[in-house]
Amino acid sequence: MKVDRFKKEIADIVSREFDRLLSDLKVSEPELYVFKPDLLYKRIGTPKNPEMGTYALPLFELAKKVKSNLIEICQKLVESLNAAVEKDKRYSHLSFSAVGGFCNIKVKNETLAETVLTDILNKGEDYGSSDLGQKKKIVIDFSSPNIAKPFGVGHLRSTAIGAALHRVYDKLGYEPVGINHLGDWGTQFGKLIVAQRLWGDEAGEDDPIKRLFNLYVRYHKEEEEDPSLSEKAREAFKALEDGEQDEAELWMNFREVSLDSFRELYSRLNVLPLFYELDKYGESFYNDKMDAAVNRLKDAGLTKISDGALIIDLKKYNLPACLLVKADGATLYATRDIAGILYRWETFRFEKALYVVGSAQKDHFKQVFKVIELLEEAENTPHDERISPRLEHVEFGWIRFKDQAMSTRKGNIIFLEEVLDKATALAREMILEKNPDLKDIDRTAEMIGVGAVIFADLSTRKHIDVNFDWKAVLSFEGETGPYLQYTHARLCSLLRKYGKTIPADIKYSVLDRPEETRVLELLYKFPHVISETAETNEPYYISLYLFELASAFNKVYQRKDDSGRIIKIISDDKSATSARMALVKSMQIVIREGLVLLGIEAPEEM
RNA sequence: GCCCCCGUAGCUCAGUUGGAUAGAGCAACGGUUUCCUAAACCGUGGGCCGCAGGUUCAAUUCCUGCCGGGGGUACCA
């Protein structure tokens, strides 16, 4: 948790003053939060209306506890606090006011501006970085598409969220390990092999992925008419598992074709470098590691046979039994995940392992994590070497389309590639209309189109289902990626026009308008937003923040004086201009860095 | 049946872990540019915060029940 310097100062001084004010009380109410800086720290919030102050401390509970008049005690506190900061220079940038039952605290603008802007300008893109993680490894299992199926918009969520978390942990000094748990094994390959043999020649279609997809859809359609197909598919998969050459060759081909197309897509999404050996750690990687895992569970006395299958009963924990080996001897994905956890622990000794997988798999991960926990109990693993407390399912809601879950089998799926292409084409049109002289139009259009799609995906809380809405994804106005990029381009444009380096001696006191204060407060918040994102594994906090920040700056940019004229950033007033340009430069750094964390590129012109 | 998630403006969603007059974007309507990028900014209208209880100085937030939507519930992933 990143410590807020101002908040800490407030907690300290309030606690100190309360100690003095109510020293007689301390004996009867020693547990009262106002006496303890750390508890106070947590109570300090921000006022609804920013004009009331930077921070707010509600005192209702206190008044009740000490049975005194709320307004009176609030006033008394504020008076004594203001007297205290007058005497103590270290706190002279704080001022307090009593409103209702709240003690509102204002940080002097000049101090805030100087603190924030010098910090950002000194650190540059490292603003918000830390060494908190001490290079500890965070394994992030994300994206994980199925081989031989097209990459649908549904896979975007895991990819975008996982990639954002990867970058956030990296910024906080951890060493993230991005693992793509490719769905490259399982009965669907039996189906595909059968389909390929039956209709492979008539499939047409140049794009090899779409060809496979058509075969897959056709298989499921024909299977409804001819149930004997599913028996053939099972046999084909069995042959694959037994290492038969024909089947293995087909499988290898499916895999390579898919990986080629995934690589291209990942590269467009700016996530390709985040994977640790992209093509290695698919499900098939664990084929030769499952026996050992299963035996270990058996030896621990956890398993039993039920209806011919090997299971671990989890009824005690209110969970369905975990199936390890099917009656026919084949393994399941839970088996692979268990083997995967054990392998990853041996290989990486991670601090945490995150599974960025849809919430439909919630019970699955509960089961798998519980099995690991039971194993460690049975084996008496020392507590600091246990894996189970380090495992976390980072779940997210479905992407649905017109109130239907998307289903590859039925063929109602939207290709991510198609979405990116459409968004990019639209961005291109927009550039041609608004800025036809732009140098690198195609490249910029790609940045904007892809940025719009990623931001749309990361701008709602991850756990709720989202309706895929073409209109929302292809919108470039309001709460969108392009809005942020546009703001960034505008900042860059200001910097170009200014054309000088920001001077060192800046008169921070000129940044005294409420709109500017708002921007400063938000800039100050950036490091906290990053650490909050890591604590909750919720990248949308960054999206939300960036939108607030951009919006706050655009208000500064277009504010008007009393006669209705825009107050320009760059003017004849040198000291005002250099202070504002310090703000502009800081803004540009933070918004760019925030976009980078989300995987969105920040063009300097658009 | 049991378990989990969701229900806030016409639509899509926020609401800082219980605080002040519930906020944004889109859509609708009106305004702002002799131009530091209008992909922007300002304004107007629009709310039984699903319903009913409970806890609390204070509930959109926590608890219980109900209604509605979604997901999961051993040989798919």
Side-chain angles (χ1 to χ4, degrees):
Chain A
M1 183 70 202
K2 166 92 183 158
V3 176
D4 182 327
R5 173 198 141 187
F6 294 126
K7 225 162 134 176
K8 184 163 183 330
E9 288 173 352
I10 293 163
D12 287 344
I13 192 167
V14 170
S15 165
R16 201 177 78 187
E17 285 313 299
F18 247 100
D19 248 352
R20 270 175 5 104
L21 259 180
L22 302 175
S23 52
D24 50 324
L25 256 170
K26 205 177 175 183
V27 188
S28 55
E29 292 278 353
E31 294 307 314
L32 210 51
Y33 68 95
V34 283
F35 295 123
K36 301 197 171 146
D38 53 329
L39 291 181
L40 256 173
Y41 183 90
K42 284 184 197 156
R43 294 254 164 181
I44 299 170
T46 48
K48 272 261 144 70
N49 181 350
E51 279 176 38
M52 296 188 194
T54 326
Y55 299 96
L57 178 65
L59 294 167
F60 304 89
E61 190 188 357
L62 172 79
K64 174 115 194 283
K65 277 261 170 66
V66 304
K67 297 190 178 59
S68 64
N69 182 288
L70 174 67
I71 305 298
E72 217 171 86
I73 201 160
C74 203
Q75 223 123 46
K76 241 164 94 183
L77 175 68
V78 162
E79 274 167 32
S80 111
L81 280 167
N82 280 330
V85 294
E86 207 161 305
K87 270 187 263 165
D88 193 333
K89 260 208 187 132
R90 288 173 302 164
Y91 299 108
S92 62
H93 51 282
L94 300 175
S95 59
F96 300 83
S97 61
V99 182
F102 291 89
C103 167
N104 291 330
I105 304 107
K106 189 152 177 45
V107 177
K108 208 162 144 195
N109 244 305
E110 197 178 340
T111 312
L112 181 66
E114 183 169 359
T115 309
V116 178
L117 298 184
T118 53
D119 198 19
I120 300 174
L121 295 176
N122 285 335
K123 291 181 179 156
E125 64 180 21
D126 287 332
Y127 179 62
S129 299
S130 79
D131 52 6
L132 179 84
Q134 300 174 307
K135 298 275 172 208
K136 287 182 200 155
K137 292 205 166 69
I138 308 286
V139 170
I140 306 176
D141 182 313
F142 73 108
S143 197
S144 310
N146 290 319
I147 294 288
K149 290 190 199 172
F151 201 102
V153 278
H155 281 105
L156 180 59
R157 298 215 87 190
S158 174
T159 310
I161 293 169
L165 294 177
H166 191 292
R167 299 186 197 92
V168 164
Y169 279 104
D170 186 46
K171 194 167 175 68
L172 293 176
Y174 292 92
E175 201 174 292
V177 179
I179 298 227
N180 199 345
H181 195 63
L182 292 166
D184 63 356
W185 205 247
T187 37
Q188 80 259 28
F189 290 98
K191 295 174 185 174
L192 264 172
I193 290 168
V194 168
Q196 166 70 30
R197 284 176 175 158
L198 286 174
W199 317 298
D201 296 336
E202 43 190 284
E205 182 68 55
D206 294 337
D207 183 339
I209 284 287
K210 288 195 178 133
R211 208 182 68 91
L212 289 177
F213 170 62
N214 290 342
L215 283 172
Y216 192 73
V217 172
R218 177 156 177 194
Y219 172 88
H220 282 282
K221 228 167 83 191
E222 304 243 357
E223 192 194 42
E224 278 177 29
E225 309 290 313
D226 179 5
S228 75
L229 283 177
S230 66
E231 186 53 39
K232 284 185 185 143
R234 252 199 303 276
E235 279 167 16
F237 180 60
K238 185 86 175 80
L240 180 59
E241 282 208 302
D242 293 342
E244 297 291 338
Q245 187 151 0
D246 280 5
E247 281 76 6
E249 262 170 34
L250 280 171
W251 174 76
M252 298 259 280
N253 176 265
F254 297 155
R255 198 173 187 274
E256 255 158 56
V257 163
S258 302
L259 276 165
D260 282 347
S261 113
F262 292 161
R263 277 197 196 91
E264 198 186 318
L265 204 54
Y266 286 144
S267 155
R268 285 184 87 177
L269 294 171
N270 310 308
V271 303
L272 191 54
L274 304 183
F275 292 112
Y276 182 84
E277 300 193 59
L278 172 65
D279 56 354
K280 186 171 170 190
Y281 296 105
E283 288 190 71
S284 64
F285 177 75
Y286 304 99
N287 281 345
D288 60 356
K289 296 171 181 62
M290 282 185 287
D291 282 350
V294 169
N295 285 333
R296 208 169 141 188
L297 293 166
K298 274 189 197 161
D299 293 344
L302 297 171
T303 61
K304 68 176 190 190
I305 305 283
S306 166
D307 292 338
L310 187 71
I311 67 158
I312 295 178
D313 190 1
L314 299 172
K315 209 175 284 168
K316 242 195 280 180
Y317 311 99
N318 207 15
L319 285 168
C322 181
L323 241 171
L324 296 171
V325 183
K326 296 199 280 187
D328 66 4
T331 55
L332 288 107
Y333 75 130
T335 330
R336 287 187 275 279
D337 269 338
I338 290 166
I341 289 170
L342 297 174
Y343 175 84
R344 290 171 193 183
W345 174 247
E346 289 309 318
T347 311
F348 302 112
R349 295 277 152 176
F350 48 78
E351 173 74 5
K352 277 199 280 186
L354 310 178
Y355 288 83
V356 186
V357 182
S359 51
Q361 254 106 292
K362 193 171 179 144
D363 278 356
H364 163 71
F365 282 108
K366 272 192 193 163
Q367 289 174 294
V368 167
F369 296 170
K370 183 51 101 180
V371 166
I372 298 289
E373 188 187 324
L374 293 174
L375 178 67
E376 293 179 320
E377 269 169 33
E379 293 181 346
N380 255 320
T381 312
H383 279 275
D384 54 346
E385 277 180 43
R386 291 201 178 183
I387 317 172
S388 45
R390 302 164 191 266
L391 303 169
E392 193 173 336
H393 177 203
V394 178
E395 57 184 296
F396 55 82
W398 288 93
I399 292 194
R400 306 193 303 146
F401 186 56
K402 288 186 177 146
D403 293 327
Q404 274 188 346
M406 290 195 194
S407 160
T408 316
R409 294 185 181 191
K410 294 185 181 134
N412 65 339
I413 181 172
I414 299 171
F415 300 139
L416 182 57
E417 193 187 352
E418 183 192 346
V419 178
L420 296 179
D421 286 347
K422 268 198 187 172
T424 300
L426 199 68
R428 205 185 131 85
E429 270 174 45
M430 204 106 160
I431 295 170
L432 290 176
E433 179 194 322
K434 294 176 188 273
N435 194 3
D437 299 333
L438 187 69
K439 268 173 259 149
D440 212 343
I441 291 184
D442 288 338
R443 178 78 194 105
T444 309
E446 170 82 6
M447 289 182 185
I448 296 169
V450 173
V453 175
I454 294 177
F455 190 85
D457 200 61
L458 290 179
S459 60
T460 56
R461 291 191 81 110
K462 60 181 159 55
H463 66 272
I464 61 173
D465 291 352
V466 294
N467 273 306
F468 183 82
D469 178 359
W470 277 109
K471 225 171 77 193
V473 174
L474 297 181
S475 158
F476 297 166
E477 282 169 25
E479 207 173 331
T480 65
Y483 172 84
L484 302 178
Q485 291 170 318
Y486 180 76
T487 306
H488 177 263
R490 180 181 257 175
L491 290 158
C492 289
S493 170
L494 283 168
L495 288 165
R496 277 194 301 274
K497 181 165 189 214
Y498 182 65
K500 290 174 271 191
T501 46
I502 315 286
D505 56 326
I506 286 167
K507 211 172 140 208
Y508 291 102
S509 57
V510 301
L511 300 172
D512 59 350
R513 313 275 295 232
E515 304 89 31
E516 284 160 343
T517 305
R518 182 73 192 131
V519 173
L520 290 167
E521 282 169 5
L522 284 168
L523 289 172
Y524 180 70
K525 230 175 103 178
F526 184 58
H528 304 99
V529 172
I530 294 173
S531 71
E532 190 183 20
T533 301
E535 278 158 33
T536 54
N537 293 317
E538 181 68 279
Y540 109 105
Y541 282 128
I542 296 177
S543 317
L544 202 67
Y545 166 79
L546 288 178
F547 177 67
E548 278 184 338
L549 180 67
S551 164
F553 173 76
N554 282 325
K555 286 183 170 83
V556 171
Y557 183 80
Q558 295 202 41
R559 74 191 157 168
K560 293 173 176 171
D561 63 18
D562 296 338
S563 60
R565 295 170 66 94
I566 297 239
I567 303 169
K568 291 195 175 180
I569 304 275
I570 299 171
S571 71
D572 294 339
D573 183 340
K574 274 198 175 154
S575 79
T577 301
S578 55
R580 288 176 192 149
M581 284 313 293
L583 187 76
V584 166
K585 180 66 189 164
S586 302
M587 265 300 297
Q588 186 261 328
I589 290 169
V590 171
I591 208 158
R592 185 177 177 282
E593 186 59 18
L595 285 170
V596 165
L597 289 174
L598 297 181
I600 299 172
E601 292 179 274
E604 292 184 8
E605 269 182 89
M606 63 188 267

